[in-house]
Amino acid sequence: MSGTRPSAAGWRRASAAICRARGREARPRDADPPPRPGRPAGLRRALAARAGLASDSPAPGPAASRSPPGPAAMGPARWLALGGLFALAGLPEGRLVREQEAGFGECDRFFYAERPPAGLAAGAHVKICQRSEGAERFATLYSTRDRIPVYSALRGVRPAAEGAAPRWLLEPQIDDPNSHLEEVTEEADAIASVNNLGSKQALNTDYLDSGYQRGQLYPFSLSSDLQMATFTLTNAAPMTPTFRERWYMNLNSLMERALSPQCGSGEDLYIITGAVPSDRKVKDKVAIPEFVWLAACCAVPGGGWAMGFVKHTQDGDIIEDVMVKELEKLLPFNPQLFLNNCGETEQDTEKMKKILEMVNQVQDEERMAQSAEGSSPLSSTRSEGLALPPAEAPADGSSFWGKLIGFIATPFIKLFQLVYYLAVGILKNAVCFLWYITKQVIKGIKSCLYHLGSATISYFMAIGEELVSIPWKVLRVTAKVIRAILRILCCLMKAICRILGVPVRVLVDVAAFPMYTVGAIPTVCKDIAVGLSGTLCLLFDTAFGTMGGLLQVVFSICKSIGYKVTFDNSGEL
């Protein structure tokens, strides 16, 4: 964190630490108030751990506290305060968003279209804008009734290398709005100054001897910025060691291999992780999640997508992929996680198919990890050991020899732990390799059996199709034969008819001759009568004509004779 400008809140916390350190140095050692029952005394040394001081440093004796405040004789409390001055400068600064503010204020940028999920906010929920080094890191909706987060929203995650020492912080102003402490601090600093501490939020002491660990909804391994920003109790829910390890493994694998590679540069990837509480509680205070969920929205223009995941808290369950609409139906109050379902009409189905292929691989790896039961408890115990604060060193005089022995034995213990971890790692990798070989062999056998079965089924299906087609083909041939026979018969009938047609016609004509003859007699008689009458008429006409002609000739002769007589008589006159 060197090179960063300390925030104003960090300077104020450092100044307050210096004042408290001076007050503790001024009063006698016996005047230190005893730690509260049920709270770990080691929390009081967490501030020294931030400055890089070892938790097993020798405790100062009474003479040391009364020595002059020179550079060589400076008391450990002042070293503690000076270390805190630099360490606190970069601590996270969670800001409680007022109820009057719409959304999450400056943390709205962690939501798609700057719209938080609709339908999840309630009266018992507190909106927190998680900040670090003067910048916003992620947003959290916290349930003061269940004392677990409803969801945490982030954007453009970048898996980072592990190495941040977990120091679990809390929000004093959730329990005491009038508290003078900043909104993110350690439990040891809030014990004496915050009223009703733990009345509305979970504390570190709620997880002690409970069998549950503090599981982050937004794991520190996904934060490329200050990883300590994710170590707030408002970002944690009770999880079993095995479940927490699997949850972190699922998130890291999904982000690194499935979600981020399919969303361009990753800056347009919006992630919401949440927990649904059950009826069971840790120490009747902190609700145990029934299942945890993750919703991802990629807002890349022209190639976006939306995907949901659910993981139940039973150790045997694996993470399940669901559509965002199906995930919304599983959540209380049926909320809307993304506006317009993250641009549902413009989503890229090809990218979603690639994501599902990688999700199947992650699920297979989780099943393989479940089979290696021996290594899981070790890993979970190691993770929880990092999360717990360092223990308080004894204050009596005999602690020097104990620390000396511990200093000498620590390298051997670390060497033994290293050898043990290497052996476990080699064994785990060998088991994974054998499992991979076995899986590939089984996959090859399954592939051969599949191809053999497919070929056999295809062969029998072809034979069956031919057998089924035989009756149809027989019917077709039979129909054609019958048709040909009918055509032959038809031709024969035509020929017979033509052969028998000539004599039949003659016989018909002969048989019809009498009828035609009898029928023709009246006509013949009529014709004869007409002929006779015509002949008679002709004869009469001839006779009369002849007579008329003769008369006309006679008349003409007589006429000419009479004219001549008349002419002669007139000459005589």
Side-chain angles (χ1 to χ4, degrees):
M1 293 180 291
S2 61
T4 59
R5 183 178 180 180
S7 60
W11 286 115
R12 288 196 295 271
R13 282 197 297 272
S15 301
I18 292 175
C19 293
R20 289 195 299 273
R22 288 179 176 176
R24 286 195 296 268
E25 185 180 5
R27 62 174 181 265
R29 186 174 184 83
D30 298 338
D32 289 340
R36 292 189 179 184
R39 301 188 184 274
L43 288 173
R44 300 183 182 277
R45 287 183 178 264
L47 188 62
R50 287 199 189 97
L53 299 178
S55 59
D56 55 352
S57 300
S65 62
R66 292 190 295 268
S67 59
M74 182 178 290
R78 290 191 177 182
W79 283 112
L80 188 70
L82 288 177
L85 182 64
F86 296 99
L88 285 171
L91 285 180
E93 311 170 12
R95 183 181 80 85
L96 295 183
V97 181
R98 296 189 299 271
E99 296 181 359
Q100 295 82 3
E101 295 186 49
F104 283 74
E106 60 271 24
C107 280
D108 281 343
R109 67 184 184 89
F110 297 109
F111 300 97
Y112 172 69
E114 298 188 355
R115 297 286 186 87
L120 285 175
H125 294 169
V126 177
K127 295 179 290 186
I128 304 173
C129 182
Q130 306 281 10
R131 298 168 55 87
S132 176
E133 296 182 336
E136 299 80 21
R137 303 303 177 185
F138 63 101
T140 300
L141 183 65
Y142 188 78
S143 173
T144 58
R145 179 187 60 188
D146 299 318
R147 293 181 173 86
I148 61 172
V150 179
Y151 63 77
S152 289
L154 50 145
R155 176 183 178 182
V157 294
R158 288 287 187 275
E162 299 182 8
R167 298 175 181 88
W168 294 93
L169 309 176
L170 51 82
E171 304 275 355
Q173 296 189 1
I174 292 180
D175 297 321
D176 185 7
N178 299 323
S179 175
H180 67 280
L181 295 178
E182 294 298 328
E183 296 178 355
V184 176
T185 186
E186 290 203 16
E187 186 175 339
D189 298 330
I191 289 176
S193 59
V194 177
N195 297 324
N196 302 320
L197 184 64
S199 61
K200 294 183 179 180
Q201 65 177 316
L203 303 177
N204 290 303
T205 54
D206 295 331
Y207 290 88
L208 295 178
D209 301 326
S210 64
Y212 289 90
Q213 298 177 351
R214 293 155 292 196
Q216 300 162 310
L217 292 186
Y218 174 28
F220 68 92
S221 56
L222 298 182
S223 175
S224 59
D225 299 315
L226 184 64
Q227 295 182 7
M228 195 180 296
T230 64
F231 286 103
T232 57
L233 289 172
T234 54
N235 184 42
M239 299 180 184
T240 60
T242 304
F243 178 80
R244 189 180 77 161
E245 181 182 10
R246 302 266 169 80
W247 172 242
Y248 290 176
M249 181 184 70
N250 292 149
L251 290 182
N252 293 336
S253 300
L254 289 175
M255 293 297 177
E256 183 177 359
R257 297 160 54 186
L259 303 183
S260 295
Q262 300 299 329
C263 193
S265 62
E267 294 298 328
D268 295 319
L269 179 60
Y270 298 87
I271 301 295
I272 302 178
T273 58
V276 175
S278 65
D279 297 332
R280 299 178 294 119
K281 293 186 177 182
V282 175
K283 297 182 180 181
D284 294 330
K285 292 180 61 179
V286 186
I288 300 174
E290 181 179 354
F291 64 87
V292 292
W293 54 273
L294 181 146
C297 167
C298 179
V300 175
W305 47 263
M307 186 71 66
F309 302 91
V310 175
K311 185 174 181 64
H312 291 270
T313 53
Q314 287 80 6
D315 290 339
D317 291 343
I318 63 174
I319 193 166
E320 303 174 7
D321 53 278
V322 296
M323 300 303 293
V324 174
K325 289 186 177 180
E326 296 177 1
L327 175 60
E328 292 172 349
K329 295 178 181 179
L330 297 176
L331 301 180
F333 310 114
N334 193 14
Q336 184 183 18
L337 298 178
F338 302 113
L339 182 66
N340 297 329
N341 196 21
C342 190
E344 184 177 9
T345 57
E346 300 179 357
Q347 291 181 0
D348 191 344
T349 56
E350 293 298 328
K351 289 185 178 180
M352 296 180 69
K353 290 180 181 179
K354 294 180 181 179
I355 292 174
L356 290 178
E357 292 177 359
M358 299 306 301
V359 170
N360 292 334
Q361 295 183 12
V362 172
Q363 292 172 345
D364 293 339
E365 292 176 358
E366 185 175 5
R367 293 188 185 97
M368 183 176 61
Q370 288 179 358
S371 62
E373 298 176 355
S375 59
S376 296
L378 174 64
S379 177
S380 300
T381 306
R382 183 169 70 252
S383 299
E384 179 62 13
L386 291 174
L388 291 175
E392 182 74 20
D396 53 2
S398 62
S399 62
F400 174 76
W401 297 104
K403 291 179 179 179
L404 180 62
I405 295 173
F407 178 76
I408 296 173
T410 296
F412 297 97
I413 295 174
K414 296 295 183 181
L415 179 62
F416 175 76
Q417 289 180 349
L418 178 61
V419 173
Y420 183 74
Y421 292 154
L422 288 176
V424 171
I426 293 173
L427 180 61
K428 183 177 179 181
N429 291 329
V431 171
C432 294
F433 179 74
L434 292 176
W435 173 253
Y436 176 77
I437 296 297
T438 305
K439 184 178 177 182
Q440 292 299 321
V441 172
I442 294 174
K443 186 176 180 181
I445 295 173
K446 287 173 62 178
S447 178
C448 293
L449 293 176
Y450 173 76
H451 289 299
L452 180 60
S454 299
T456 305
I457 292 173
S458 301
Y459 177 73
F460 283 109
M461 286 184 66
I463 293 176
E465 290 178 356
E466 291 297 329
L467 292 176
V468 171
S469 63
I470 288 174
W472 172 248
K473 292 180 179 179
V474 171
L475 290 175
R476 290 179 61 186
V477 172
T478 305
K480 290 182 178 180
V481 170
I482 293 173
R483 182 181 177 185
I485 293 173
L486 292 176
R487 278 182 150 185
I488 293 172
L489 293 176
C490 183
C491 292
L492 290 175
M493 292 296 293
K494 287 183 178 180
I496 293 171
C497 290
R498 287 182 179 179
I499 293 171
L500 297 178
V502 174
V504 170
R505 192 174 298 167
V506 171
L507 293 176
V508 170
D509 293 341
V510 171
F513 178 75
M515 296 179 62
Y516 288 142
T517 303
V518 174
I521 290 173
T523 304
V524 171
C525 293
K526 180 181 178 181
D527 292 338
I528 291 172
V530 171
L532 292 176
S533 61
T535 301
L536 292 176
C537 291
L538 179 62
L539 292 176
F540 282 116
D541 289 338
T542 303
F544 286 116
T546 302
M547 292 179 65
L550 292 176
L551 290 176
Q552 187 175 5
V553 169
V554 172
F555 179 75
S556 298
I557 294 172
C558 291
K559 185 177 179 182
S560 60
I561 295 174
Y563 176 74
K564 187 176 179 182
V565 173
T566 304
F567 183 75
D568 292 334
N569 293 329
S570 60
E572 294 178 358
L573 296 176

